[in-house]
Amino acid sequence: MRAKYIRVSTTEQNTARQKEDGFKLFIDKVSGSVPFKERPQGTKLLNDDSITEVHVQSIDRLGRNTMDILSTIKELTAKGVNVVSQKEGLSTLVDGKESPTSKLVLSIMATLSEFELSLIKERQREGIQRAKERGAYKTNGGSKPLSIKQLLAKPKNAKCAKELRSGESIRRAAKLAGVSHTTAMKIKNAIRATP
């Protein structure tokens, strides 16, 4: 079975341009910096033994960390799954055997993806610094950060805190409470900070 893995960074982004007929779709709305195995649909894809081929729009949809991208591809190809990067025109398996040329090019592309992310972050830091110098920048877009009490007062956050205190992992607690992984991390840190 052929699958298409689609990733966008935010819930507001539209996935329609990446969708194609004839594929089982796995769609994550998560930052590329989140490891593939920690993404809900990424995990499902890795555990679906019916898949023989995975298509991605571009190699950076798998992630923005070279080691994570390469380990994801390695895990899939070890199971006999051909990974096809449409933008770059690459397939990891040719006639059922690993393609050394694709392996080399994918390594370079994964490194470039990580490099691009570091450039984006650097430009962001520079922009924030310039805005601060002009007096136009307020932390967090001008909104005040929530106190620990305010953070834990929200019903979903309270449920997440309860799950974390009962020993659930951050990912599992986030899923059970219906909050993002980032929010669950903030809650975990808030719990640690409270006596």
Side-chain angles (χ1 to χ4, degrees):
M1 175 185 290
R2 295 194 318 161
K4 176 89 185 259
Y5 179 74
I6 298 171
R7 180 190 64 79
V8 291
S9 299
T10 65
T11 54
E12 294 82 30
Q13 286 179 292
N14 191 338
T15 59
R17 73 177 182 85
Q18 294 184 56
K19 290 180 181 177
E20 289 181 62
D21 292 333
F23 289 93
K24 182 174 183 178
L25 298 177
F26 293 85
I27 303 171
D28 274 320
K29 294 189 176 190
V30 64
S31 166
S33 61
V34 173
F36 195 83
K37 286 184 175 185
E38 292 180 17
R39 303 175 192 174
Q41 294 297 306
T43 302
K44 283 184 182 178
L45 189 148
L46 289 173
N47 293 326
D48 191 331
D49 293 330
S50 68
I51 294 172
T52 56
E53 190 168 273
V54 175
H55 286 241
V56 291
Q57 187 72 26
S58 172
I59 197 69
D60 67 353
R61 300 299 88 198
L62 293 175
R64 294 285 192 166
N65 174 288
T66 304
M67 295 308 292
D68 183 46
I69 293 170
L70 296 179
S71 68
T72 299
I73 291 171
K74 184 177 180 181
E75 185 172 339
L76 288 167
T77 54
K79 291 167 57 173
V81 177
N82 182 28
V83 180
V84 178
S85 178
Q86 295 170 326
K87 183 177 177 182
E88 292 84 13
L90 297 170
S91 293
T92 57
L93 298 177
V94 177
D95 296 327
K97 296 179 182 170
E98 193 170 10
S99 165
T101 304
S102 288
K103 192 174 182 180
L104 172 67
V105 174
L106 285 169
S107 296
I108 293 167
M109 295 303 298
T111 303
L112 289 173
S113 180
E114 185 174 335
F115 177 68
E116 181 183 14
L117 179 62
S118 67
L119 289 178
I120 290 168
K121 287 182 176 180
E122 181 61 29
R123 286 192 298 267
Q124 184 180 32
R125 281 191 294 271
E126 289 171 359
I128 290 170
Q129 184 58 39
R130 280 192 223 109
K132 283 180 179 178
E133 290 168 3
R134 290 191 322 267
Y137 183 81
K138 305 280 189 254
T139 57
N140 210 11
S143 62
K144 292 181 181 177
L146 296 175
S147 69
I148 292 173
K149 187 175 179 180
Q150 290 170 322
L151 178 71
L152 297 178
K154 294 183 176 185
K156 285 185 178 182
N157 293 358
K159 177 160 177 48
C160 183
K162 180 182 173 188
E163 298 296 342
L164 289 167
R165 286 186 183 114
S166 70
E168 291 291 350
S169 69
I170 291 171
R171 187 172 73 186
R172 177 96 173 119
K175 186 175 182 178
L176 290 170
V179 299
S180 70
H181 186 270
T182 304
T183 299
M185 287 287 294
K186 287 179 186 175
I187 294 166
K188 179 83 170 180
N189 291 334
I191 292 169
R192 286 184 188 146
T194 53

